[in-house]
Amino acid sequence: MRDLTPAEGRVLAVLVEKQATVPDTYPLSLNALVAGCNQKSARDPVMSLSEADVLEAIEGLRELSLVNEVSGMRVTRYDHNAPRGLGVPGAAAALLTTLLLRGPQTAAELRANSERLHRFADTSSVEGFLEELAEKDPPRVVRLARSPGAREARWAQLLTGEPALPVASAEELAAPKPARADEIAALRAEVAELRALVLRLASELGVDANLKSEA
């Protein structure tokens, strides 16, 4: 599949987003689609597309079997075929949609920002889908070089072409990942449960567990 234009990427992402967030008005009319494309919140970059721009993008997406025109309605409406057209599962389509709408993000940011489209169990599951998308032929996402002082690298979508920002080097990709806050919190909770269990058993047996408190 060829690279999408920025307008095509925005139109496709808006259709996926609105199907999940405003199902009562989906499929979208042209007016609703233009408004979604030019929305100022949760968009990076903010665009100013005309009806003609959106119609041109729709035609390009129809040729790629990514968008359909819904007939039999008073007003012409449009829906998407993103997962099948891109050959990805729904969870991966949610990540691609969020990247198309909001620009490069870390896995943790993607998990939070895509929650209304797909609820991921944890950040590790997001990273798993991102790595699968990066390994597709052609790849759908790429891990960017870590910014100075940043703890986590950001990811960018490749549906609209190569990102302007530098991608991660082979050394960065091979480096061990730092422990994330959610993983640390889960480990602390598990330790607390085990501590409580040991103390209870010790009390029942009448022995001193002599456990040190957590730092």
Side-chain angles (χ1 to χ4, degrees), residues 52-161:
D53 295 330
V54 173
L55 285 171
E56 182 179 359
I58 288 171
E59 187 58 34
L61 292 168
R62 288 179 60 186
E63 292 173 358
L64 297 172
S65 301
L66 290 172
V67 166
N68 304 305
E69 182 178 312
V70 182
S71 58
M73 296 185 175
R74 186 177 59 181
V75 176
T76 301
R77 293 179 179 269
Y78 304 93
D79 66 2
H80 73 86
N81 187 36
R84 182 178 297 180
L86 297 174
V88 299
L95 294 176
L96 288 170
T97 296
T98 307
L99 289 169
L100 283 166
L101 292 176
R102 294 173 177 252
Q105 297 157 77
T106 66
E109 290 170 336
L110 280 167
R111 183 191 177 202
N113 291 332
S114 64
E115 187 174 11
R116 296 180 70 186
L117 306 182
H118 181 87
R119 182 164 293 180
F120 293 91
D122 50 34
T123 307
S124 295
S125 62
V126 173
E127 290 182 335
F129 278 106
L130 289 170
E131 288 166 2
E132 288 181 8
L133 287 169
E135 293 169 0
K136 289 184 71 68
D137 184 21
R140 303 301 192 190
V141 300
V142 65
R143 186 179 173 189
L144 299 175
R146 190 175 303 171
S147 302
R151 296 185 59 186
E152 295 184 50
R154 293 183 299 166
W155 293 79
Q157 55 80 24
L158 294 175
L159 295 179
T160 57

